[in-house]
Amino acid sequence: MIARLAAGLFALALGFPAAANIEIQQVTSPGGVEAWLVEDRSIPFVALEFWFVGGSALDPADRRGATYLMTGLLEEGAGEMDAQGFAAAVEGLAASFEFDASRDAVTVSARMLTQNRDAAADILRAALVEPRFDADAIERVRGQVLSIIEGNARDPNDIAATTFAAMAYGDHPYGSPQEGSAESVAALTRDDLIAVHRSTLTRGRVAVGAAGDISPEDLGVLIDRILGDLPAEAPPRPGPVVNNLAGGVTVVEFPSPQSVAFFGHAGIERDDPDFFAAFVLNQVLGGSGFQSRLMGEVRVNRGLTYGIGSFLSLADLSPALLGQFSSSNELMAEAIEVVRAEWVDLAANGITQEELDAAVRYMTGEYPLRFDGNGTIAGILAAMQSDDMPVDYIVNRNAYVEAVTLEDVQRVAARLLDPEALHFVVVGQPQGLSPGN
């Protein structure tokens, strides 16, 4: 959110080997913060990633949007530096910091040259530990957030996803947008931002990934330099929530020649023994490319949409199987029936061996391409820790995919795909559709 990037910096983030050759070192700082490191001394540059697990789901019920607004203010002045002074200091060191918020984490991405590492770390520490929350900065960023909220209210894709979440999760934090509402954001005070800063950015629930020109010993010292003055204890997170949304169609009127559909139902946890079978199943159902069932039936064979896909959402507190597509108002009802038919067929009959083989080839072939630079790798390492994944996951991941059998996928298709629970939120003016279809 609202990031500044030093010109040319990411040209330094190239040259890492394939995933199977990545060696992860586990590091514990003198202050007790754990981190994972991929060391590479070929370029005088290091990327750091901090994931403060909890995110906007920690917002008090009457202060929705507080974490999102607070995160946007972390680069708007810290310590003795106002917003302009902070920006000048970062740019003067050819460093870059990005601060972002999601419902499950506040993420901080840092890129810095080896020769400027300590000075850049001190500026980052100030942003995390001593944000100023100046009145003018609060109003400036509040205005930006209110503009985002206003724009989302006119975006049929956002309306569809937001409506689905509200129906599925109700009063749980997942049930409302992390940006908050215009009313909740307008009511936020500086004290609210200070309170959510103290509860969200803690050492008690942070995952750290690093990649580049730094030793494990130096990384430990650097982590404590940046995070050592943050609170040690993290507040409790909200409990999990089950998506109990019943099957059917919800229509939200919106003046447009085409409609947007957001659909899905409950999913599967990452640590479930059947996860990789579900992962492969989704690739066949609605994964990347034109080989998926949904793309083939809805677009290629019938021309009802330009694109459609599904994905396994691994949200910490409520995993889901979701999808989205758009279609003209006169074709949306037919497109929904085709999607339902694929859900029914896969649940009852599963996939073919040819589909399994194609999915495994694609998934194992594209995986090494994700590791295309130290910034990306640092982010992957932090994400793995936040999801409690084993340190050898990268090395073994393709083997897990290749171990999935046809019988595994058939069993999981019958377990996971629930046509009776499949719900569609349609935003537009679809013909032949009304709530309850």
Side-chain angles (χ1 to χ4, degrees):
M1 178 181 175
I2 319 172
R4 304 180 193 276
L5 302 180
L9 186 61
F10 291 108
L12 298 174
L14 304 176
F16 269 90
N21 297 324
I22 288 178
E23 179 182 349
I24 300 174
Q25 301 179 69
Q26 295 176 275
V27 177
T28 301
S29 77
V33 177
E34 296 185 1
W36 289 0
L37 166 66
V38 172
E39 187 176 354
D40 178 19
R41 298 310 189 98
S42 64
I43 302 172
F45 168 82
V46 66
L48 302 172
E49 195 87 8
F50 302 94
W51 284 40
F52 296 93
V53 178
S56 62
L58 295 176
D59 283 352
D62 59 348
R63 295 292 186 271
R64 291 294 290 157
T67 296
Y68 191 80
L69 177 57
M70 180 276 295
T71 305
L73 286 159
L74 292 178
E75 64 175 356
E76 296 292 331
E80 297 181 356
M81 298 172 287
D82 62 10
Q84 289 185 338
F86 182 88
V90 174
E91 292 170 4
L93 295 171
S96 73
F97 305 142
E98 296 182 37
F99 306 95
D100 204 356
S102 71
R103 58 187 178 181
D104 288 330
V106 170
T107 59
V108 179
S109 303
R111 313 289 183 261
M112 56 191 72
L113 297 173
T114 302
Q115 66 188 44
N116 298 333
R117 191 171 64 203
D118 289 347
D122 288 342
I123 296 175
L124 181 56
R125 176 211 167 272
L128 298 179
V129 178
E130 304 176 273
R132 289 167 62 106
F133 299 133
D134 291 333
D136 61 334
I138 291 174
E139 294 313 311
R140 181 171 59 253
V141 179
R142 191 199 309 268
Q144 294 171 1
V145 175
L146 290 172
S147 179
I148 291 171
I149 292 171
E150 182 181 354
N152 290 345
R154 299 192 300 267
D155 183 347
N157 292 285
D158 195 86
I159 294 170
T162 299
T163 302
F164 187 98
M167 296 177 66
Y169 302 122
D171 293 335
H172 190 275
Y174 278 12
S176 57
Q178 67 159 349
E179 300 90 350
S181 65
E183 294 75 19
S184 68
V185 171
L188 291 172
T189 67
R190 185 174 187 273
D191 286 343
D192 294 328
L193 301 175
I194 291 172
V196 78
H197 169 261
R198 289 173 178 166
S199 64
T200 305
L201 302 186
T202 72
R203 287 180 286 124
R205 202 161 48 222
V206 63
V208 183
D213 182 27
I214 193 168
S215 69
E217 295 76 19
D218 287 344
L219 176 61
V221 172
L222 191 70
I223 289 170
D224 285 350
R225 186 170 189 149
I226 296 170
L227 304 181
D229 292 325
L230 289 175
E233 298 298 324
R237 302 178 69 185
V241 58
V242 177
N243 176 359
N244 285 320
L245 185 59
V249 176
T250 297
V251 176
V252 180
E253 285 288 326
F254 188 85
S256 173
Q258 70 172 13
S259 296
V260 169
F262 190 93
F263 60 92
H265 57 51
I268 187 169
E269 300 278 359
R270 185 188 287 277
D271 60 359
D272 190 293
D274 282 332
F275 170 75
F276 277 96
F279 197 19
V280 173
L281 170 65
N282 178 70
Q283 178 63 31
V284 175
L285 170 64
S288 304
F290 279 83
Q291 301 304 313
S292 76
R293 290 277 191 97
L294 293 180
M295 186 67 90
E297 292 300 320
V298 183
R299 174 178 171 165
V300 176
N301 293 343
R302 293 175 174 82
L304 302 176
T305 184
Y306 282 111
I308 182 172
S310 63
F311 61 97
L312 290 172
S313 168
L314 297 177
D316 289 353
L317 306 178
S318 186
L321 174 58
L322 304 172
Q324 190 167 8
F325 68 95
S326 60
S327 187
S328 63
N329 287 327
E330 62 269 21
L331 296 177
M332 176 56 75
E334 181 183 355
I336 286 177
E337 287 309 308
V338 175
V339 174
R340 279 177 171 156
E342 286 306 309
W343 233 261
V344 170
D345 180 63
L346 277 172
N349 303 312
I351 69 175
T352 67
Q353 185 65 51
E354 291 74 19
E355 287 175 316
L356 172 61
D357 293 342
V360 170
R361 280 196 303 272
Y362 176 83
M363 295 170 70
T364 56
E366 63 83 28
Y367 186 61
L369 303 180
R370 302 182 188 182
F371 300 84
D372 60 354
N374 49 12
T376 303
I377 291 172
I380 290 172
L381 298 183
M384 288 171 58
Q385 292 171 79
S386 72
D387 285 338
D388 295 321
M389 298 169 70
V391 72
D392 61 355
Y393 174 84
I394 291 175
V395 174
N396 295 326
R397 182 268 194 185
N398 276 358
Y400 298 148
V401 174
E402 292 168 342
V404 173
T405 67
L406 189 62
E407 291 73 19
D408 293 333
V409 177
Q410 316 303 50
R411 181 186 70 256
V412 173
R415 170 192 168 190
L416 178 61
L417 299 177
D418 187 352
E420 297 302 315
L422 183 61
H423 195 96
F424 296 80
V425 172
V426 180
V427 178
Q429 297 174 317
Q431 297 177 14
L433 282 180
S434 60
N437 284 139

